Amino acid sequence: MRARQPGKAVWTTLFILSGPLRLIYLLLYFVPNRFRQHPQWTYRQAVGNALLKLWFSFASTVEYRTTKSLEPGTEKERFVVMDPKQPESCSGVASDKMIKPISVDGMWYPRLYNPDVDGSRVIVLHFHGGAYVLGGVRPAESGWGADVLARATDGLVLFPQYRLSSQFKGRFPAALQDSITSYQYLLRLGVPSSRIVISGDSAGGNLALALLRYIGEESSLPRRKAVASHRNQRTDYITPAFVNWGLRTYRPSFLEGNYPYLSPLNNCFATKVPIFMQHGTAEVLFDEQKTFCSQMKQINGNKIERLEVPNAPHDTFLAGQVLGWEKEAEDAARKACDFLNRQRKEVRAVEN
């Protein structure tokens, strides 16, 4: 971790030293049901939400950052490095004088893709969450969610480690460039677009929509057949400071906050790719996501399916184990897979 402002080292020390006391307090505070963020939450869900909210508050204050390694480590052959096809492959909004396509590392789950035996499997290209400033692809960071996707689809999952805006030259369009590189990587492996499912959670979902928009509007890349995935401040672990950190570092100063590739809300687009979206009714972005789905449905030809998880906070897929929402996250993944299978059957019916 690196600190850029005086006092962050002191704040970090105080946070670490006070950690045991904070934990004991939270463990005792949420024993009575009436003190929990939502009356229908379990004790584990209440404690997990509070702990995660505390972590994001700290990370935002010190602007926590980690260095991502291009070394395979213990993951060995499952860890891959994806080189950009060519600089000019990123055109239009993905082209930038300062930000250029670079090699992107990625992690395969549950094993490395083998074209000899995986010729008919679904390949899920999933982008992790973290407000564009945090998150990773290693098993300790994304392993649980990747396994959930792999089991639900009976396929293989590729997690690209796109550049984070908390790092040097990580602002837009760095993540978009990396998403393009990872998609081109799958195509070069011989995976047809009809077997690629683009997926993402939280900021990764935003990136998935940006890639889908880019493919439809800016490039000649082949389209795939399916795409995965205020008053609720008390029930959500996402803090305003965390969101503002992501916005401040990811958005270039020359772009407005409502730029279509940054914010899909009120910037809907036509697409032939069916879209499945899941969100919790207790998250701070619930209204915006619901509105976006409604707007997309109003465009002729768009096919959108939305799943509401009652009383759930933001991104149970990312932190289901911490928050105590494993069952709901696994159920959402199965329903997304059902949606995918229905779309594939419709496509085959039309082709036949």
Side-chain angles (χ1 to χ4, degrees):
M1 184 190 73
R2 295 179 297 174
R4 298 188 304 168
Q5 298 177 9
K8 287 187 177 181
V10 175
W11 182 265
T12 301
T13 302
L14 292 175
F15 180 82
I16 294 174
L17 292 177
S18 64
L21 292 177
R22 291 172 184 261
L23 178 60
I24 293 174
Y25 170 77
L26 292 176
L27 291 176
L28 295 175
Y29 180 79
F30 289 116
V31 171
N33 184 277
R34 67 180 183 275
F35 291 145
R36 297 173 192 173
Q37 301 93 324
H38 195 284
Q40 296 186 25
W41 281 10
T42 65
Y43 174 72
R44 181 188 170 194
Q45 289 170 341
V47 173
N49 186 283
L51 289 175
L52 205 55
K53 193 168 190 174
L54 185 64
W55 158 246
F56 279 122
S57 177
F58 163 74
S60 304
T61 300
V62 302
E63 297 192 359
Y64 181 88
R65 61 190 68 187
T66 57
T67 301
K68 302 300 181 181
S69 173
L70 289 176
E71 296 298 322
T74 58
E75 289 76 30
K76 299 180 180 179
E77 71 278 356
R78 291 169 52 203
F79 182 90
V80 295
V81 177
M82 302 170 283
D83 296 319
K85 184 177 180 181
Q86 51 192 10
E88 57 269 26
S89 63
C90 290
S91 58
V93 298
S95 178
D96 188 276
K97 292 181 179 180
M98 298 294 296
I99 310 298
K100 302 296 182 183
I102 64 172
S103 297
V104 182
D105 60 302
M107 184 68 60
W108 280 100
Y109 293 92
R111 57 173 175 79
L112 181 67
Y113 173 78
N114 185 339
D116 294 330
V117 298
D118 298 319
S120 61
R121 286 185 180 274
V122 166
I123 306 299
V124 181
L125 179 61
H126 186 88
F127 302 105
H128 67 78
Y132 288 111
V133 290
L134 295 176
V137 302
R138 303 280 182 167
E141 300 166 302
S142 297
W144 181 79
D147 290 340
V148 169
L149 279 178
R151 291 196 305 269
T153 61
D154 192 28
L156 298 179
V157 184
L158 175 63
F159 269 63
Q161 181 58 72
Y162 58 86
R163 279 169 284 180
L164 301 176
S165 60
S166 55
Q167 301 169 340
F168 179 64
K169 289 189 176 182
R171 65 160 174 81
F172 180 87
L176 178 59
Q177 290 177 353
D178 295 345
S179 71
I180 295 169
T181 295
S182 58
Y183 182 65
Q184 291 173 330
Y185 163 80
L186 291 178
L187 296 177
R188 291 200 300 273
L189 286 182
V191 181
S193 60
S194 59
R195 288 199 292 112
I196 299 176
V197 176
I198 295 180
S199 171
D201 62 277
S202 191
N206 179 281
L207 182 56
L209 287 171
L211 176 60
L212 177 59
R213 182 190 292 269
Y214 176 84
I215 292 174
E217 296 181 354
E218 297 284 351
S219 81
S220 59
L221 289 173
R223 296 171 173 81
R224 59 256 130 253
K225 299 299 183 183
V227 177
S229 261
H230 66 45
R231 68 182 183 281
N232 286 339
Q233 190 63 56
R234 174 175 166 78
T235 55
D236 208 349
Y237 58 85
I238 296 297
T239 65
F242 183 60
V243 175
N244 290 333
W245 179 24
L247 291 174
R248 174 169 50 81
T249 56
Y250 186 61
R251 180 177 69 86
S253 59
F254 54 84
L255 291 180
E256 297 293 332
N258 60 355
Y259 185 63
Y261 281 83
L262 299 177
S263 175
L265 184 64
N266 299 323
N267 288 304
C268 295
F269 56 98
T271 177
K272 295 181 180 179
V273 180
I275 297 176
F276 179 91
M277 295 189 67
Q278 173 267 321
H279 49 192
T281 60
E283 63 173 295
V284 293
L285 295 175
F286 173 75
D287 294 331
E288 287 81 356
Q289 295 173 5
K290 185 177 180 180
T291 300
F292 170 73
C293 287
S294 298
Q295 292 173 344
M296 288 290 285
K297 285 182 178 180
Q298 293 174 8
I299 298 179
N300 187 37
N302 282 2
K303 185 175 294 186
I304 314 293
E305 185 167 311
R306 184 174 64 89
L307 172 66
E308 291 184 9
V309 181
N311 308 321
H314 181 70
D315 199 355
T316 54
F317 176 83
L318 172 68
Q321 284 184 307
V322 176
L323 296 170
W325 294 87
E326 297 99 328
K327 179 180 179 298
E328 289 79 3
E330 292 171 354
D331 182 60
R334 285 192 294 268
K335 290 180 178 178
C337 185
D338 292 340
F339 174 78
L340 168 65
N341 291 333
R342 292 198 304 271
Q343 306 313 311
R344 299 183 75 189
K345 287 180 180 179
E346 290 182 11
V347 171
R348 286 195 293 266
V350 172
E351 291 176 346
N352 294 332

